[in-house]
Amino acid sequence: IITMQILDLMNVHNIKGFLVALSNGEIRLYNEKNLIHILRNDEVAIGLAFGTYGRENGALVTNLQSGGLMVKMLQRQANLQISNMKPGPPSEQDIPLSIPKKSRIFVDLTTREREMGSLMHRMFHTEMAKLKLRTAQNYFSMINEGHAPMSYTSGSNIRLNASVQGLGPIFKIKLQITNTGTKELRDLPVVVSYNDKLYLMRKNQVIIPVLVPGLQYEKGIEIESIDPTGAAEVVRISVYNRSYSNPLITAFINMPVAEPDLQNFQLVQK
């Protein structure tokens, strides 16, 4: 049902019905429970208004979904008391549904749920509580080891975002470090761990002098792929505190496959 409108003709035909616009484009006229007439349209009616239009007492103005207007005049000799259609619900409701037969497994499961419903409910809540506990334990372990996206170890709150830029063989790792705590942090080593058979760095450790709360600091680190085939591997970036053995936070970067060095490739072919 999209919209409805009252059809009031008490002063002319002594009848009061209602109009119903459906999503299939039909506009149905009902007198109490009896379906009097069906008006079929190519478009869906989203608004109905019935009343006097000019010299006609019975006019139906329809607002279509496309934005157009349609005006229908009711015949003066129309009989709205008698319906040629079958009263009551539509005939589609008399068609039986093809419900499959109940199998033996369905009956057994239904009986089991009826007899052991309370036990199954308690088991469900027990397993759900265990799942929440394991999730909290794993997340707590990630925070302590510095593998979580946020760090709360040793009273420090740090957010680290890392991305890689370039096509190779030289890449640039872009770091965005934010101190979300209330105290400043000083002399934080940033260590890059990588496979020395695939990559080469001039210096795999940088020192961040100070992190002021609320400000975002950006740092760029260059790394070169030295593998002839351009093989890639995960690079680990950790932020440490000199007074704490475990990293404050760690980020893992999936390095892309490096494009070959065309100059060296041409020299090898010669």
Side-chain angles (χ1 to χ4, degrees):
I1 297 177
I2 303 299
T3 184
M4 300 177 65
Q5 174 65 34
I6 296 176
L7 185 144
D8 191 357
L9 290 175
M10 296 297 293
N11 56 345
V12 179
H13 295 280
N14 194 21
I15 184 175
K16 188 174 184 180
F18 57 94
L19 298 159
V20 181
L22 304 179
S23 59
N24 59 358
E26 294 182 353
I27 300 177
R28 297 191 176 189
L29 171 61
Y30 286 91
N31 183 5
E32 295 183 355
K33 296 182 179 181
N34 299 320
L35 178 60
I36 303 301
H37 182 69
I38 298 177
L39 178 63
R40 293 179 173 86
N41 301 317
D42 296 333
E43 297 184 36
V44 178
I46 60 175
L48 298 175
F50 185 84
T52 302
Y53 184 78
R55 300 174 57 185
E56 298 292 335
N57 293 325
L60 174 63
V61 180
T62 305
N63 184 15
L64 302 177
Q65 193 173 19
S66 61
L69 290 177
M70 181 178 64
V71 180
K72 294 285 186 179
M73 302 297 180
L74 181 65
Q75 296 180 3
R76 297 182 180 180
Q77 303 298 327
N79 187 356
L80 303 181
Q81 300 287 347
I82 301 176
S83 173
N84 296 326
M85 301 182 183
K86 182 180 178 181
S91 59
E92 290 82 0
Q93 295 188 6
D94 298 333
I95 302 175
L97 299 177
S98 57
I99 301 176
K101 296 182 179 179
K102 296 180 180 179
S103 62
R104 182 63 183 176
I105 299 177
F106 176 81
V107 176
D108 293 341
L109 291 177
T110 304
T111 306
R112 175 175 174 270
E113 292 179 359
R114 187 185 304 114
E115 296 176 354
M116 305 177 63
S118 58
L119 178 60
M120 295 172 64
H121 183 71
R122 288 195 300 268
M123 290 178 60
F124 169 76
H125 281 280
T126 301
E127 295 298 327
M128 182 61 68
K130 290 181 180 179
L131 177 61
K132 293 181 180 180
L133 177 61
R134 288 195 297 268
T135 304
Q137 290 175 345
N138 292 334
Y139 186 69
F140 181 74
S141 177
M142 290 176 60
I143 291 177
N144 287 337
E145 295 175 0
H147 295 166
M150 291 287 294
S151 173
Y152 303 95
T153 56
S154 68
S156 303
N157 300 342
I158 297 177
R159 179 186 290 114
L160 174 62
N161 295 325
S163 59
V164 60
Q165 297 176 347
L167 300 176
I170 299 177
F171 298 96
K172 184 176 182 180
I173 298 175
K174 185 178 180 181
L175 303 179
Q176 295 178 347
I177 306 174
T178 307
N179 182 6
T180 59
T182 57
K183 298 181 180 180
E184 64 178 18
L185 301 175
R186 295 180 178 273
D187 298 332
L188 300 179
V190 179
V191 180
V192 182
S193 302
Y194 58 92
N195 187 351
D196 56 1
K197 296 181 180 180
L198 300 180
Y199 299 102
L200 176 64
M201 294 185 66
R202 296 181 180 179
K203 190 176 181 181
N204 68 333
Q205 178 179 338
V206 295
I207 303 297
I208 300 179
V210 63
L211 282 180
V212 178
L215 296 181
Q216 179 177 291
Y217 293 82
E218 295 185 358
K219 190 71 176 180
I221 303 175
E222 289 189 354
I223 183 172
E224 182 179 359
S225 174
I226 58 176
D227 187 79
T229 62
E233 200 173 89
V234 176
V235 174
R236 174 179 173 178
I237 301 175
S238 303
V239 180
Y240 288 88
N241 192 337
R242 296 184 183 275
S243 60
Y244 195 71
S245 58
N246 291 333
L248 298 178
I249 192 170
T250 302
F252 295 90
I253 300 179
N254 293 321
M255 298 294 294
V257 177
E259 295 289 337
D261 192 346
L262 297 180
Q263 296 180 355
N264 295 337
F265 182 74
Q266 291 175 0
L267 291 176
V268 171
Q269 282 192 340
K270 291 180 179 179

